[in-house]
Amino acid sequence: MKSSAIKLHTLLLLVVVIVGAWLRFDQFAYQVVTDDEWHALNQLIAHSPRQFLLSYGFSDFSIPLALLYWSEANWLGLSELGMRWPMMSAGLLMLILFPLWVSRHLGWRVALVFGLLLAISPLLINYSRNARPYALTLLLGYLAHYAFLRYASRRQGQTGFALLYGLSAALSSWLHLISLPFVVAPVLLEGISALTKLRQGDWTPLRRLLLIGVPTAMLIALLILPPLLSDPGAMLDKSGSDHPNLNTLFGIWHTWLGTPSSIAVLFCLGLASIGLKRIWNEAPLAKSVTLGILLILALLLISGPAWIHNPLTLGRYLLPVIIVLLLAIAAGADNLAAWVEQKLGKTVAMLVLLLPAIVLMAGSPLKDSLRRPNSNTLHSYFQFDYRKNQSGSVKEKMEARIPLSPWWATLSQRPRESLLIAAAPFYNFSPKWDAPRWEKLGRQRVIPGYLTGLCVDRREGELPDDSRFAMRNTVHLGDAEELRRKQVGLIAYQKPYQYLHDNKTVQMGTDMVHCLDVLRTRYGKPDYEDDKIAVFSLPPKPVAAHD
């Protein structure tokens, strides 16, 4: 290939990486910790490393991430960035490494289309920003397949690739146990070939397989057996509780492709069907990756973990599928473009190459989550289900349950992002936290205002006010210095309310009703009050006296 063509391809890949990085970093520093991100935080609050190293917990958490967070909390003070940087790093590396590998086997056109699809994938963007291990295990899982293939090919650097496979497979399994069948798949596949050659009297393949397989198995066992044996109920109690249904099978394609449009799904699946044969024939990892995905699926169907009827839950357990799917779409688009180029020319062919990205971007949920300000892009309001009728149900439930004061809309008269508002009470289960709607209406940032230290000694779903936690996007309402340092302008307190759930009345906020009186005592009469909220202005930061 001519050097000018290589430079052009490299430049185009750089543009794709920049687009993907921008989508991942947009308002990244603003994001509130929510939902499953709290599983590890709850471990840090309640347990020591000795305890959480020996259990997977009732609510799944990643043991190595919890250990990392404990170290950061005790040495540096744990922040949102401290929780999320490993996943962001993995997400960015995938944007570079995966297309480069594809370019070697399926060509630059497929690699660039594939890279663009990776860059704009809402699910991959979400998991690059989320303090859960999915982006990290996705990278490590494919890295394990790649390293094993290089080891099995008997090229130079055998020891290095053996070590890379062992460490990637072990860490991926430790981060998230469901990764285990995926990373052992290449060993099993190679084992079939080794046994065949053994029957022919050739011991070399089996010996080489044992040299990499035994140490890796020992390392994995060392990491995952202690919590499994110490607390078997943590896994067993969550098994056999759920299975996919018809809605799951339809919705999961919307989840992986990141689109609410059924037409877009059908179009992309059509392209994927054109490209699958090419991937199977030309991508060396295709067979081992396919086996790994089938092994994960079999384990899920046998064990029946909780919530896998939800397309998002099943989709992230089967997250390796998204790489195969997007690659198949890119290969299919390239095959179609090659045919069109012969008939209609290069210009039309280039349009065909871009069609899958155009179709997916046309209805992308990113358009809503990229609005400014948005401190809650990980909220289930944006992430639960990309289908409009399904994700809308989360939105509608929130709007029906949580009373909305007209005051929030009046904030839009002020300059955008000119105020930082601390709202209380905060709920770390996002359907009970209406900040996405408040920010959309008022165009001002809203962060959780913790009541711990103000009117209660300890409240579930809030972090203690101590030096271990250095969160940027929360504030303790009882800490006057923290309020001043973070330049909080207003405190908005949501008054107690009730709603019906399964024909039962649910009371929200009644246990914290006395906190409103504490705020009145501290800040006086609210600047605004109705039957839904009370809003308090904080006193301005005192000006230092000069001699």
Side-chain angles (χ1 to χ4, degrees), residues 271-347:
L271 286 178
S273 66
I274 298 173
L276 273 176
K277 183 179 179 181
R278 182 174 174 187
I279 291 177
W280 187 260
N281 291 332
E282 299 179 24
L285 300 184
K287 296 176 178 62
S288 64
V289 165
T290 300
L291 176 60
I293 291 170
L294 292 175
L295 290 175
I296 294 176
L297 180 59
L299 180 60
L300 291 172
L301 295 177
I302 292 170
S303 60
W307 287 98
I308 62 168
H309 75 279
N310 173 20
L312 179 61
T313 304
L314 184 61
R316 67 182 178 226
Y317 283 154
L318 289 167
L319 197 57
V321 172
I322 196 172
I323 303 301
V324 178
L325 178 60
L326 297 182
L327 182 54
I329 292 169
D334 185 50
N335 288 351
L336 185 59
W339 180 82
V340 168
E341 187 173 350
Q342 293 178 350
K343 304 292 183 181
L344 302 173
K346 288 186 177 181
T347 302

Side-chain angles (χ1 to χ4, degrees), residues 1-13 108 112:
M1 182 180 292
K2 296 180 180 179
S3 61
S4 59
I6 295 175
K7 289 180 181 179
L8 177 61
H9 294 148
T10 304
L11 179 62
L12 290 173
L13 178 59
W108 271 106
L112 290 170

Side-chain angles (χ1 to χ4, degrees), residues 118-192:
L118 291 177
I120 66 171
S121 165
L123 195 64
L124 294 180
I125 292 169
N126 174 39
Y127 287 147
S128 296
R129 297 157 63 89
N130 196 316
R132 295 287 282 163
Y134 311 122
L136 201 50
T137 55
L138 185 62
L139 174 65
L140 290 170
Y142 274 91
L143 196 59
H145 280 256
Y146 167 77
F148 186 88
L149 178 69
R150 292 298 299 268
Y151 173 81
S153 67
R154 303 189 185 187
R155 297 177 186 174
Q156 292 181 348
Q158 296 300 290
T159 303
F161 286 116
L163 287 172
L164 181 59
Y165 169 76
L167 292 175
S168 299
L171 183 54
S172 181
S173 302
W174 196 28
L175 281 161
H176 197 197
L177 195 56
I178 197 63
S179 301
L180 179 58
F182 185 70
V183 297
V184 302
V187 178
L188 296 177
L189 195 63
E190 183 66 18
I192 297 172

Side-chain angles (χ1 to χ4, degrees), residues 249-265:
L249 299 180
F250 283 116
I252 200 168
W253 301 103
H254 292 266
T255 297
W256 283 328
L257 292 170
T259 178
S261 169
S262 297
I263 294 175
V265 168

